[in-house]
């Protein structure tokens, strides 16, 4: 097992490096034209462009450029040329908001997705299953930004049940914090619930036809025991890892749209606003940190998977 | 049921193709503004866009069938042209993804060793970025200068850029399952048999493996189109997909969200169209998958990051 | 006579009711089971009646698809989740099970009637510990604590012969070998002292030496507990070894039911007779074989080695384990001859077969075809030879591309060698007829054919370019016994007609005996013995060969006790990643001495054409 963990950690470091290189390539190498002009945003002045070029070393060789870029981004000295604010500070400020959104939504979609998926599997083929399927399909078809906008407007602004966007820190007022987040959590969770319920349903159906479930019944276990100890347990294992990865994806950037619509001022919205202004440094930084987060999280997920399913340790 | 939704999708495509016809009927193109114009409603002359900026709602007739937007443009016309853009980008991107993913998955899975190692690493790295983040990053980076690969130059802001970005972003999503299947198929005795007959790698991949992949590819196809359309609308919503004044459902929703209070139809209508299209594709994909695998595994749906 | 728990000293749970005189433990009457499918109801069982008394072993035997497994599963109500419709009655100790409630059945399952399934790998939950899975069953039926249940589990594992039982209980199923897993399943089945044990093909997936051990174990446990055993199998040898009574099933019905001696000595139903006739027996007369043609060997392997690295990157330390699947094998196949190659799982015979046709690259030694060294030949150099050296695979379902028509499958080698479409179509038609199929079959898809027919297609494909040698890798193992004979006959015909040489790789010694001129025995990558077929089977020189032959169940109940147990190897074949030093067989050999542990015995000649690698070969005197 330790061998496995060490291997995965080593792989993780390699991938992190590759991610940083790719990010660098995306922003500085692949596109056409002058990177300094690009970085200066929508309306650059000549002196701005020159300053940027010197600051980021665009006249140097590529490897040197790469090192400079990494220094600025990882070292925390990158500045947005549009807002003149330090990128890393902005990210740190927005992080708790993004995490609040992500954690709440993740818990909600996991519980609801598993419950609905299990229900659908147990009633497979019947009307309730078909209904749940339709609901799930609708769920994954709703664009989050549209649903969020409508929900915010009709349930927030018009009906007044929920505040019209905005964020209240947890430390300030937990109840109000939650009140502000209920709509964003639900909107973000809906699409995942649709997806997870279908995956769980399929896993459960597959597992139910496995030989070891037949053995469990032959042993004289009650149907409930068979379901919980054998079927559900084995079906959930892939879901848990999927959940970890999706959570990472939401934190790392999936929340962009939801945050924007609900004005939560998290990392995602920060990136979205920068995108709108074609402001490169924040987008670069968020992209890289986002990908880093995912790589680390997926290594954790791999290790958890190996704990849950011993066969994986052989790989 | 899947067939009904498939028909729905086809109907949508046809509507999109018919966009110019409707534009003729409505009397103006998708980008023709009309901020100061007036039209006749119930015998009176009404401002298309009122003094405080509120556009008129759906008129349910040929001109301004679904109303106007803040610039006086005909919503229905824009909707149909937007459908053209969104569908074009979606289908083209999905096609490109399929071709690339099949290529990568087949080569990596069959040739193994260093080819596989390189491909897997590349896929892993791309996969490390959440879809929307990568899409946003690429689109932003390419927004100013465009892209130049060898003899090809893609103009900044062109649909080609959107297609390229979306296609690349989704390659790992499809390449990994294909590679997995190729790995499984490779061990099958009929592949060994072909090799024992003296078939070379190329022949083996094309005539033995590819036909067995067709079911996976066909099942993925509608879902990839749905995913691509959703990503395109997200990018347009953020401003780095289809850029106004060219219409796209995404950027229409973006503009509409600002005026949700006064003119909700601006956001609702394109969103509804988007949902309908994606839902149709998802149900179609589900049905296709059920047809190939009667044990009804879960559909992977159109995933959003 | 009470039935105490296996492995438990606690006698308080022993049941005390005596067996009713004449009242069978299990009485099935006119059982019929049908399953609803999209194309209507399928009747899997169509009128089965049988009796099983306590302490008796009833063998339920028949070809695949005859409904024996469904019968067993229905007794325990395990076909209900699939929507089975049942008629008739299943009486267990006076209770009707067929319409019992789930709750009642649950109490019976595991505690009174227990089942052992064919594939222990898929029948055990891969993510739960072995000991926990056994304890789970105990806890479901008895009022003991968790700790007590776990203790009993460890005891049970020890009782069924698993070494280091405590450690194994903490481990997972994948860590055990096939034989050990099956023992664990048996331990689990017997954990609550059932009165009826149903074993569904319990040894089919195991090597023959391991099978012998498991069958011994089942018999022992039956003697100890007095439980009734319903043993389902397709192997008449197993039936002869184990059964008191036999029920023969065909197409959902019992066609004959009688004590075992009667069934073998005087079978009444034609189906029984057909099945018995098809079974190859070690004491059948050897078929007359043509002497091999003169000339240089068609295929010659010299010191062939095939090793696979097992990569275990431990950062700095160089831990490079290799699996030496084939470890220095020297063999030759003469023109027109059939060389049989036998071995158990892990022996390397399959790897060798593939290396001989260069599907796997040799890592040492040479492969020569018709005098030419092809060990390192490039694909282009090999291309013309592909017509001369061909291979037929084991799995009729995996060896044909499901997405190609038969014409394309059989025609591929022809097209690869430049034949035009028309010529190859004509040749395909001829080939199909040669193997006993119709030319029209060329337009069909593989899934439209039965297993036996698909093997014929595979053979047709191999013959397409008139090869000189065909390597056959377990060509009949996946087929029913009656179909096996047909295919073996076909191969024989073709060999006579076309002067083919065969390298016939198999694990079933009886089949190999019927087809071979000479036989080679492999173990852990090395040759143990090579001899003309009569010599090998009647006067084996190597202890391993003798052990293999002794382990084969003889389809003759009167010979049951004659099996020489002292020769049987103990334990299981070791893992090929860590072969023993010296003679690879020494840990399991009853004749091993110090020299065997240190020195690898060379393959030495004992008499004309008879070679063996052993320091203490069996002579007529031993």
């Amino acid at each position: 097992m330790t061998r496995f963990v060490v291997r995965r950690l080593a792989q993780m470091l390699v991938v992190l490096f590759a991610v940083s290189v790719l990010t660098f390539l995306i922003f500085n190498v692949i596109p056409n034209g002058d990177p300094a002009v690009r970085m200066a945003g929508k309306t650059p002045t000549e002196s701005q462009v020159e300053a940027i070029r010197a600051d980021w070393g665009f006249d140097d060789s590529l490897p040197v450029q790469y090192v400079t870029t990494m220094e600025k981004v990882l070292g925390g000295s990158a500045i947005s040329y549009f807002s003149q604010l330090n990128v890393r500070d902005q990210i740190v400020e927005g992080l708790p908001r993004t995490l609040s959104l992500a954690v709440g939504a993740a818990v909600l979609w996991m519980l609801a997705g598993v419950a609905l998926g299990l229900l659908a599997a147990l009633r497979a083929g019947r009307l309730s299953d078909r209904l749940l399927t339709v609901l799930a399909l609708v769920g994954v078809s709703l664009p989050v930004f549209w649903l969020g906008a409508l929900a915010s407007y009709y349930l927030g602004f018009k009906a007044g049940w929920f505040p019209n966007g905005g964020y209240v820190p947890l430390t300030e007022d937990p109840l109000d914090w939650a009140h502000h987040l209920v709509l964003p959590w639900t909107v973000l969770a809906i699409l995942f619930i649709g997806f997870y319920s279908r995956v769980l349903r399929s896993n459960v159906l597959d597992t139910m036809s496995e030989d070891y479930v037949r053995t469990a019944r032959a042993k004289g276990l009650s149907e409930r025991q068979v379901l919980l100890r054998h079927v559900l347990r084995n079906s959930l294992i892939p879901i848990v890892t999927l959940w970890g990865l999706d959570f990472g994806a939401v934190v790392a950037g999936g929340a962009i749209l939801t945050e924007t619509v609900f004005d939560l001022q998290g990392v995602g919205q920060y990136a979205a606003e920068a995108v709108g202004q074609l402001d490169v440094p924040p987008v670069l930084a968020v992209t890289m940190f986002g990908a880093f987060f995912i790589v680390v999280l997926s290594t954790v997920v791999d290790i958890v998977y190996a704990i849950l399913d011993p066969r994986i340790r052989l790989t | 049921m899947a067939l009904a939704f498939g028909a729905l999708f086809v109907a949508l495509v046809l509507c999109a193709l018919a966009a110019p016809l409707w534009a003729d009927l409505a009397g103006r193109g998708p980008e023709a503004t009309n901020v100061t114009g007036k039209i006749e409603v119930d015998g009176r002359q009404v401002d298309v866009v009122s003094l405080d900026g509120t556009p008129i709602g759906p008129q349910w007739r040929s001109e301004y069938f679904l109303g106007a937007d803040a610039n006086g443009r005909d919503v229905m016309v824009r909707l149909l042209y937007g459908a053209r853009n969104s569908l074009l980008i979606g289908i083209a991107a999905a096609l490109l993804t399929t071709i690339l993913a099949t290529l990568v998955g087949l080569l990596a899975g069959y040739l193994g060793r260093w080819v596989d190692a390189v491909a897997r690493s590349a896929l892993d790295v791309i996969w490390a970025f959440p879809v929307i983040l990568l899409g946003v990053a690429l689109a932003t980076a390419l927004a100013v200068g465009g892209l130049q690969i060898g003899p090809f130059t893609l103009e900044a802001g062109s649909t080609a850029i959107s297609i390229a970005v979306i296609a690349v972003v989704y390659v790992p999503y499809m390449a990994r399952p294909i590679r997995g299947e190729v790995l499984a198929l490779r061990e099958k005795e009929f592949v060994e048999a072909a090799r024992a007959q003296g078939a070379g790698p190329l022949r083996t991949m094309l005539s033995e493996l590819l036909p067995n992949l067709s079911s996976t590819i066909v099942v993925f196809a509608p879902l990839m189109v749905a995913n691509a359309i959703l990503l395109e609308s997200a990018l347009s919503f953020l401003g780095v997909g289809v850029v106004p004044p060219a219409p796209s459902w995404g950027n229409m929703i973006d503009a509409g969200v600002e005026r949700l209070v006064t003119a909700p139809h601006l956001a609702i209508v394109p969103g509804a169209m988007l949902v309908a299209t994606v839902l149709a594709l998802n149900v179609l994909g589900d049905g296709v998958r059920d047809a190939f695998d009667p044990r009804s595994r879960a559909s992977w749906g159109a995933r959003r990051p | 006579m009470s039935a105490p728990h296996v492995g438990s000293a606690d006698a308080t749970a022993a049941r005390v009711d005596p067996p009713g005189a004449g009242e069978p433990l299990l009485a099935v009457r006119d059982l019929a089971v049908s399953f609803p499918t999209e194309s209507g109801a399928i009747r899997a069982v169509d009128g089965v009646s049988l009796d099983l008394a306590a302490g008796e072993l009833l063998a339920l035997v028949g070809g695949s698809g005859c409904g024996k497994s469904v019968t067993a599963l229905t007794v325990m109500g395990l076909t209900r989740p699939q929507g089975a419709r049942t008629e008739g009655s299943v009486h267990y100790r006076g209770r009707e099970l067929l319409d019992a409630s789930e709750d009642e059945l649950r109490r019976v399952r595991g505690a009174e009637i227990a089942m052992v399934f064919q594939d222990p790998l898929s029948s055990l939950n891969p993510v739960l510990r072995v000991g926990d899975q056994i304890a789970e069953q105990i806890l479901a039926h008895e009022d003991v604590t968790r700790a007590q249940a776990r203790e009993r589990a460890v005891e049970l594992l020890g009782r069924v012969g698993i070494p280091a039982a405590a450690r194994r209980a903490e481990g997972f199923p994948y860590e055990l070998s096939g034989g050990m897993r099956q023992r664990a399943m048996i331990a689990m089945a017997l954990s609550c002292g059932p009165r009826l044990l149903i074993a569904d093909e319990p040894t089919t997936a195991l090597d023959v030496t391991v099978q012998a051990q498991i069958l011994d174990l089942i018999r022992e446990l039956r003697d100890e507990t007095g439980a009734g055993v319903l043993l389902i199998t397709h192997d008449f040898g197993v039936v002869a070894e184990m059964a008191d009574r036999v029920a023969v099933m065909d197409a959902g019905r019992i066609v004959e039911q009688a004590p075992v001696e009667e069934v073998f000595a005087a079978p009444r139903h034609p189906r029984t007779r057909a099945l018995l006739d098809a079974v190859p027996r070690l004491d059948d007369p050897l078929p007359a074989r043509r002497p091999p043609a003169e000339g240089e060997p068609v295929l010659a392997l010299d010191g062939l080695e095939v090793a696979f690295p097992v990569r275990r990157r431990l950062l700095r330390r160089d831990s490079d384990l290799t699996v030496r699947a084939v470890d220095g094998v020297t063999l030759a196949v003469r023109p027109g001859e059939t060389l049989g190659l036998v071995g158990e799982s892990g022996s390397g015979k399959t790897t060798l077969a593939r290396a001989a046709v260069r599907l796997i690259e040799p890592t040492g030694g040479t492969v020569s075809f018709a005098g030419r060294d092809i060990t390192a030949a490039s694909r282009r150099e090999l291309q013309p030879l592909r017509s001369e050296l061909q291979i037929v695979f084991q799995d009729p379902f995996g060896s044909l591309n499901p997405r190609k028509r038969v014409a394309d499958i059989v025609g591929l080698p022809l097209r690869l060698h430049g034949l035009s479409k028309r010529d190859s179509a004509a040749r395909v038609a001829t080939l199909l007829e040669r193997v006993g199929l119709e030319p029209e079959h060329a337009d069909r898809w593989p899934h439209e054919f039965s297993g036996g027919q698909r093997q014929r297609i595979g053979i047709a494909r191999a013959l397409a370019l008139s090869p000189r040698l065909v390597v056959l890798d377990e060509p009949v193992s996946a087929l029913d016994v009656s179909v096996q004979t047909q295919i073996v006959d076909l191969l024989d015909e073709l060999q006579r007609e076309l002067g083919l040489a065969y390298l016939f790789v198999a694990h079933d010694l009886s089949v190999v005996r019927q087809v071979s001129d000479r036989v080679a025995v492999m173990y852990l990558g090395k040759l143990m013995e090579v001899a003309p077929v009569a010599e090998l089977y009647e006067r084996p020189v190597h202890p391993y060969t003798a052990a293999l032959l002794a382990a084969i169940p003889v389809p003759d109940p009167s010979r049951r006790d004659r099996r020489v147990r002292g020769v049987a190897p103990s334990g299981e074949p070791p893992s090929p990643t860590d072969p023993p030093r010296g003679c690879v067989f020494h840990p399991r050999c009853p004749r091993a001495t110090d020299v065997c542990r240190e020195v690898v015995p060379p393959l030495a000649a004992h008499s004309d054409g008879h070679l063996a690698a052993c320091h203490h070969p069996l002579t007529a005197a031993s």
Side-chain angles (χ1 to χ4, degrees), chain A residues 15 18-19 22-23 26-27 30-33 37-38 41 133-134 137-138 140-146 149-150 153-154 157 188 191-192 195 198-202 205-206 209 242 245-246 248-250 252-254 256-257 260-261 271-272 274-276 278-280 283 286-288 290-291 294-295, chain B residues 1 120 122 124-130 132-134 136-148 153-154 173 230 233-234 237-240 249-250 253-254 257 260-262 264 267-272 274-275 278-280 282-283 286 289 295-305:
Chain A
V15 179
V19 161
L22 184 60
T23 316
I26 289 177
F27 284 96
I30 293 178
N32 224 11
V37 169
R38 202 168 33 250
T133 303
V134 171
L137 286 173
V138 171
V140 299
S141 308
L142 296 169
V144 126
F145 50 93
W146 181 72
L150 290 183
Y153 175 65
Y154 284 106
F157 181 72
L188 187 55
L191 100 97
F192 285 104
F195 182 67
R198 314 246 35 241
V199 174
L200 188 75
R201 175 183 176 277
S202 132
L205 287 176
D206 278 348
S209 60
L242 203 60
L245 291 173
D246 280 336
V250 165
I256 282 185
L257 298 160
T260 309
V261 162
V275 166
L278 293 184
D279 186 10
V280 173
V283 183
V286 170
T287 303
M288 203 162 80
I294 296 237
V295 172
Chain B
M1 185 171 78
R120 262 184 59 204
D124 278 347
V125 172
I126 298 180
W127 194 239
F129 295 81
I132 201 174
L133 195 60
L134 187 60
V136 162
L138 278 171
T140 311
L142 299 176
V144 175
L147 177 64
Q148 190 159 28
T153 309
L154 299 176
Y173 187 71
L230 278 175
S233 64
F237 179 77
L238 291 172
V240 280
W249 289 334
I253 296 178
D254 185 25
V257 164
L260 207 48
V261 179
T262 49
I268 294 180
V269 167
L274 188 57
V275 174
V278 172
L279 183 61
N282 269 330
V283 175
D286 216 44
R289 221 214 42 252
R295 271 199 303 158
S296 277
R297 293 168 200 269
S299 88
W300 287 80
R303 289 220 43 203
R304 289 292 307 290

Side-chain angles (χ1 to χ4, degrees), chain B residues 46-67:
Chain B
V46 176
D47 282 328
V48 169
V49 181
S50 71
L51 289 169
D52 63 0
T54 311
I56 50 173
Q59 299 301 307
W60 309 113
R61 59 189 208 206
S62 62
E63 207 183 349
Y64 292 116
F65 184 76
L66 286 174

